[in-house]
Structures are given as C-alpha cells and as structure tokens.
Amino acid sequence: MALDLMKEKGVPLEEQLLSFNWRDMVQLPVSKLDDDAFTKVRIILMNGIESEQLRFKHVCGRMNEHLQLALAQVRRVEQFQQTTINWLLPADMSPLEITLGYEQVAIEVTASIAQNEPDPYLAQVYRFGLLEDFDHLYRYSALYERTEGKDPNNILQSYTDILPGRPTAEEHRAPEDDLRNYYKCSSAAPITKMNAYTLVGGEYQTHDFYMTIGPMFSDPLARQLYAEIAAIEEQHVTQYESIIDPNESWLEKWLLHEANEVYNYMSCQQYETNAKVKAIWDRFLDYELGQLHFVIDLFKKHENRDPAEVLPPELPEPIRYESHRQFVREVLEKEVHLRARGTEFVDKEDANSPSVQHRQALNQHGAPSEIVAQGYRWMPGTELIQKKSAA
Amino acid sequence: MAKAESAGMGMNKTGIGTAPRLSKEMIESSRTGPVSQGNSGTPADLRAQYIRQGNNVGSVPPPTSMKGVAKSALQALKGEKAIVLIDKLAERLAFERTGTRLYETLIQKAHAIETGNGKVVAGLERICQEELSHFHMLWGCLEKLGADPTVETPSADVSALASQGIPKVLADPRTTLAQCFEAILIAELVDNDAWERLIDLANGFNQTDMVQQFRQALSQEAEHLAFIHGCLTKEINREAGISS
C-alpha cells in the first residue's frame, strides 16, 4: 500500500532522541556468509543516505542561523541511525570485501534508478555513471583475487557480472566535462528528485570510504588503485550533485532530504530478507516520517509555502533490490563507447580535449586500474583454477 | 635501491628516551593525575552479553550434488557431522589458494631486491607451485564429496581473518626479505599443523584416498617450513654479520 506522506506522522522527534543506547546501536552484525548480498547492499546504501543527511545539514547550518538548533536536533538522531546501520557490517569483511559491496551498490542501485527515471537525459546520466562503477568492480575483483587470493563472487553471490566496463583509466575527465544539466524543481517528477538525492548520498560515501581506507593498504598497487578510483568517485559526486536544481531553497532541500530518507527506508523494508534488519528499517521509516513532519512545520513557518508544492502525495515506486544483469549488459553493449563533452554525451572525444589532456597527465606512468587487471577473467574459484600446477 | 637490512641506526622517536624533558613531564602528569573509576560494568560483562546471543559467522551449505560417487561418498560419512570435514577441507583450500598468492608476492619482492641468490627464488617458486597444486587437489576432494568448492565456509573465513596481517607484511615495499620470511613462517607453521589435523579428520571419516593425498601434501609442507625457517635464519644471520 502506498505511503501517504501528509497523513503518516511517524514517531515524534523528541521521542526518537531518547530511544537510543549503545547496546541498541551496536548490535551483532549480519553474516558475511549467510546473509543475502542485497542485505549488505541496503546497509551500505543506507549508511550513505544517513551520512548525506549529516553532511547536508552541517552546511545548511553554516548558512542558516535560524535553523541551527532544529538541524542539530535532527542530526543527533541521524548520527545514531547511521551508527546503528553501519555497525551491522561484520568485522570478517575486509576493507576490500566491503569495497566490492560498495561497487555492487553502485551498480545495482544505479541500474534500478536508471530504469525508473522518466527524464531521458537524466536516465542517460545514470547509465553513463553505471558503466564506470561497473568497471571499478572488475578492477577491485582482480585486486582481491590477486592479493587476498579469494573469490569475489563469495561477496557478490552471482547477482552482478564481473567484467570490464568503460575502462577506469579513461574515466578521468576535466572538471568541465563532469557537470550535467539539472532538473527543474518546479516541473521535475518526484521520482527524479528521489533518484538524484539517493545517488549523491551513495557516491559521496563511496568516495569518503575509499579516501579513508586507501592508505590502510600496504601494497603500492592497491594504494594507487584506491587513489585512482576515489578520483572517479569524486567526479561522480560532481556529476550527480550537478543534476539537482540549485534553485531549491535550503528548506526545500531539507524537506526533500527527509522525503528521500522515507523513500529509501520504505524501499529497503519492502525487500529485506533478514528479520532483524527489517525491524531496523521499519523503525527508522517511522522515525523518518516524524522527521519529515518536523521539517514540514518549519517549511510552513519559515517559507510560508504549502509543502505539497514540493512533496508528492504518495511515494514513487521503490528501488528494486534485485539483479539488473540483463539491463547492465544491454547498456554495456550500446553505450560503453560514450564520452562526455561539457554536459552532453558524445561518441568520440577530440584528441586535444581538456579531458584527454587531463587523463594523459594522470596516466603518464601507467594506470593502476590497467596494471591490476591485465588478463583478468573471473571464474568460479578464481582464475587460479585454470593455472597449471606441479604434478 | 631496495633495502636489504631490517634495522639500521636512525631517528626512531617512539621511546621515552628520545625526549627526556617531555617524558619526565608526561610521567609526572600521569602519576599525579586522576584515573577513570568506571561505573558501567566490566569489559568481560559487556562482551559476554554479545557472546551469549549465540550467533556465529555463518554456516556450511548442504551438498549441491547427490549423484553417483558423491552420493555414496556422503552416505559413507557420518550424517550431519560430515560438515566438519567439508568445513575444514574448504578452510585448507582457501588457505592454499591464498598461500599461492602470498608466494607470488614474495617472489616479486625477492626479484625486486635482487638478492643474487637464485636458490632462494627457485625454492620459493617451487613452494608456490605446490601450494597451487594443493589448492587444486582439495578442490577435487570437495567435488568428490558432492560439496561446492566455491563456498567460503566459516573455518575458511575465520582462518583468513586470523592471518590478515601476513599479506600486508609481504606487500609492503618497505619490508625486507627477513621480515617477509618471518611473516610467511607464521603461515607455514599454521599450515603444517592444520594438515596434520586434516589427515586425522579424513581418517576418522574413512577417506583413505584423501589421507594418502594429504600425507603427501604434509610432507611437502614440512619441506616448505624447513626451507622458510632456513631462509629466515640465514637472512637474520647475514644482517647480523654472523656466519651460519
């Protein structure tokens, strides 16, 4: 049944703050081996969604003195929500295994979003980004097999192909080729706004994660690869951030952030297979509805506008947490050659374009993404299955 | 030029002797300052609350194949307890596969350092090949039992967790051969012990073919251990200027 955002009031904010304690926030993690890969995909994405709330609300607070207390109140709850979610990841997942999970999020969630997006230009933006994250999974899988000696499909559980996409070494672009046209807040469909807000959160946390764990590797090849892919994630944040209408007011953006959280928790709730994790999605969906209504009141008070101008009466179709293998393959076949020129996508770049020069400088001593995956082909049990051994 | 010596005289700043005046102040403030009394229970209590929830890292899936040889092999095993054997076979498989990669990394380092000792590199290459063949052999054993050899079982997972630091030492461009031999010695000690137990386990399940194959693997692992032990001793003695 569709959720009526105006009628469903959720849990009042003041009750939320007092509902947390350390034991509740730090629960036993999910199982790397037994839980479904999509449970981990949801955990990773929702950590990103919550971290985006803190990031946005801090910047908003710096620019809006009159909102600082209200922002701090909501942020405090979100800090605890993020902790509850992120601490569900188990310690037996190595940083590189979590990385594979991050790329699976980027592929499967972006694929769902690209198919749900009614604006053809934005759907193209999502497909463009999708093929780049798809390639990252291939490069990290090669690193994982060749350094940890393990099978990346133990993490991916056969939902996501491990193949080259748009080569990472060719994804480096000049800043002017990373900006895109933005949706118009007055006319864009609600799902368009939800899609953009979701991906900004997801990509931002991916960038921050790689920047945090990159230096924790001792292998210079791994350190270079994380440096290289983190640079692309920064480009992706630039791309996805630029599709959001900068003319939305601060409070309008805040309202959309809350609505996006409701939308995402609802999506997770509908697909979750782990009962304990589902209970967390259920609980936080009610919290988000409470936070949304807290902001609706602020929106009415400070902007003197009807929140119905910004919020849809019902939430759009949820993110589909399932394998999008067929869609990804079709996009790969038809669009892997595309490159960006300004805000548009073209079949071929000019030989002297700023992006080509940028890339040549970065890759002048070789690209780690190429070095790590030379001749790499995934197979069950890893590529060592085919390597001949002594009798 | 790559470093060949593990320790040289330098500006190490970790000890209190490096900064006598600062460390004196530090010791004085710690001696006279307060300590937390703590009134929230003990670390043991806190950890016990989680331990007693009874979760484990995961499970072993049921066999994927119940046909022919696999079916009879499984029937010969003792019902549900067969998962112990499958879990431990998968643990060894994962360890040997990772071991292959560890030796590849070590061989790369030996080449980069240009040890000038062809015997060391040749020895490491032989071990690498044998680790790979053990991986292939265990893959076959699991298939014969009707188990899926691609599964990461709980023991495989925990064993990898326990040895996470070893690849990190080997891949660090700053570590010397001696430091790398010391790290891989840990792996070889564990490996030898684990093969012995795997032989006992296979014996307990009357897997005579496996026992035979595992004995041969153990004998190779014992050579690996002796080789690495020898390399480490020689390398440390060389650094220390002691003739061995």
Side-chain angles (χ1 to χ4, degrees), chain B residues 27-55:
Chain B
I27 292 164
E28 183 59 19
S29 75
S30 181
R31 193 179 63 77
T32 56
V35 294
S36 167
Q37 296 305 314
N39 54 6
S40 282
T42 67
D45 289 341
L46 187 149
R47 291 180 180 127
Q49 286 157 9
Y50 288 88
I51 292 166
R52 288 178 188 142
Q53 288 180 42
N55 286 22

Side-chain angles (χ1 to χ4, degrees), chain A residues 187-203:
Chain A
S187 57
I191 185 68
T192 292
K193 296 177 185 178
M194 295 298 99
N195 287 343
Y197 275 73
T198 298
L199 274 188
V200 167
E203 294 288 330

Side-chain angles (χ1 to χ4, degrees), chain A residues 28-41:
Chain A
L28 278 176
V30 298
S31 170
K32 166 183 153 185
L33 309 179
D34 287 11
D35 272 297
D36 194 89
F38 274 107
T39 290
K40 282 154 268 183
V41 161

Side-chain angles (χ1 to χ4, degrees), chain B residues 48-69:
Chain B
Q49 286 157 9
Y50 288 88
I51 292 166
R52 288 178 188 142
Q53 288 180 42
N55 286 22
N56 51 29
V57 298
S59 62
V60 178
T64 48
S65 164
M66 290 297 284
K67 289 177 186 169
V69 179

Side-chain angles (χ1 to χ4, degrees), chain A residues 23 26 28 31-34 92 145 148-149 154 216 218-220 380-385 387-390, chain B residues 49-50 53 55 57-59 97-98 101 104 129 132-133 135-136 139 150 152 154 157 160-161 168 171-173:
Chain A
R23 202 191 299 178
V26 183
L28 278 176
S31 170
K32 166 183 153 185
L33 309 179
D34 287 11
D92 54 340
E145 280 203 21
E148 295 196 17
N154 290 152
M216 293 177 187
S218 66
D219 181 0
T382 79
E383 63 182 353
L384 286 183
I385 283 293
K387 193 172 176 184
K388 285 206 170 75
S389 58
Chain B
Q49 286 157 9
Y50 288 88
Q53 288 180 42
N55 286 22
V57 298
S59 62
R97 183 172 57 197
T98 297
R101 297 303 194 179
E104 283 177 0
Q129 273 297 309
L132 181 63
S133 66
F135 160 59
H136 287 161
W139 183 279
T150 66
E152 183 172 21
D157 181 48
L161 191 62
K168 212 164 178 171
D172 194 322

Side-chain angles (χ1 to χ4, degrees), chain A residues 230-247:
Chain A
I232 305 298
E233 302 304 345
E234 159 57 21
Q235 291 181 207
H236 284 183
V237 177
T238 301
Q239 165 170 284
Y240 292 128
E241 211 167 51
S242 70
I243 63 176
I244 296 174
D245 191 339
N247 299 304

Side-chain angles (χ1 to χ4, degrees), chain B residues 77 85 89 137 140-142 144-145 195 198-199 202-203 207-216:
Chain B
L77 299 175
L85 179 61
L89 286 170
M137 181 258 287
C141 291
L142 281 160
K144 273 183 199 159
L145 291 177
W195 275 107
L198 196 59
I199 289 168
N203 229 339
Q207 297 295 309
T208 47
D209 287 353
M210 279 189 204
V211 170
Q212 205 174 353
Q213 287 175 298
F214 295 173
R215 282 202 176 120
Q216 194 193 340

